[in-house]
């Protein structure tokens, strides 16, 4: 079974630039999560999708972050404009449904300079 | 107060030791409990998943849930250097939404 795929693995951008991350979940997984993990901290949920609908985006900074999951499969997370404090690892995870364990991708390490 | 509290460590033990990792939580609506292991520069990988109070064993790993005390634990027996990683507890509410993580405990097993 293929795992959660994310790209790119690493990204360095200047502040105020924009950036996008891509995630392909495990086939058949209806629930998709985007997490932000700052160094030394646990993952923080940014947004949760069930199929192509948003279940929870209460911690997503909507003035600069956006996410979509067209056709209920792949997802993209965008930051525009980026700030220095956005430097973190962005993890995508998927699960069969909201009650089950989530499987994580390798993450995208973003550095904003 | 955070929803999930976890001692960040770091924790350093000799090879072969028994390791105890713990998390406490405040919301009694948490119903599903997980432990993830995260190696440096990798995504978290699932170790254990439990639903009810009690113990669940898988090889050298035992997960324990005490819902009355709002306390969960992960025990690692005969710890190995390959167990050196950050261990994250995670919980899901009974609504199926809101997947909460602890801050993680960094573990080093010394050969």
């Amino acid at each position: 079974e293929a795992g959660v795929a994310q790209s790119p693995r690493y990204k360095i951008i200047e502040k105020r630039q924009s950036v996008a991350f891509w995630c392909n979940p495990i086939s058949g997984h209806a629930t998709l999560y985007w997490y932000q993990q700052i160094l030394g901290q646990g993952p923080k949920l940014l947004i949760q999708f069930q199929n192509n609908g948003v279940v929870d985006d209460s911690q997503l900074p909507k003035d600069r972050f956006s996410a979509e999951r067209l056709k209920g499969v792949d997802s993209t997370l965008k930051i525009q404009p980026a700030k220095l404090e956005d430097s973190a690892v962005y993890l995508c995870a998927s699960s069969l449904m909201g009650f089950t364990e989530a499987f994580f991708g390798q993450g995208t390490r973003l550095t904003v300079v | 107060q955070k929803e999930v509290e976890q001692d960040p460590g770091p924790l350093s033990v000799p090879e072969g030791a028994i390791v105890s990792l713990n998390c406490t939580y405040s919301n009694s609506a948490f119903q599903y409990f997980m432990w993830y292991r995260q190696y440096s520069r990798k995504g978290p990988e699932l170790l254990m998943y439990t639903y009810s109070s009690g113990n669940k064993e898988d090889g050298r790993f035992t997960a324990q849930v005490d819902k009355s005390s709002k306390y969960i634990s992960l025990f690692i027996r005969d710890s190995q250097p390959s167990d050196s990683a950050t261990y994250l507890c995670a919980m899901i509410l009974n609504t199926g939404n809101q997947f909460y993580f602890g801050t993680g405990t960094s573990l080093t097993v010394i050969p």
Side-chain angles (χ1 to χ4, degrees), chain A residues 18 20 33 38 68 82 92 96 107 109:
Chain A
S18 62
Y33 310 84
I38 293 171
E68 60 182 9
C92 179
L96 275 173
R109 184 175 297 273

Side-chain angles (χ1 to χ4, degrees), chain A residues 7-43:
Chain A
S7 67
R9 285 296 311 276
Y10 305 93
K11 190 75 177 178
I12 301 175
I13 62 171
E14 294 182 351
K15 60 184 178 182
R16 292 187 290 274
Q17 285 187 323
S18 62
V19 64
F21 312 127
W22 173 82
C23 173
N24 180 238
I26 293 174
S27 178
H29 280 194
T31 305
L32 185 147
Y33 310 84
W34 281 103
Y35 286 88
Q36 179 193 59
Q37 188 175 25
I38 293 171
L39 186 66
Q41 299 182 20

Side-chain angles (χ1 to χ4, degrees), chain A residues 3 11 13 17 22 24-25 28 42-43 46 64 69 71 76 95 100:
Chain A
K11 190 75 177 178
I13 62 171
Q17 285 187 323
W22 173 82
N24 180 238
L46 292 175
R64 299 185 301 106
R69 191 184 184 196
K71 301 180 182 178
T76 56
S95 65
T100 60

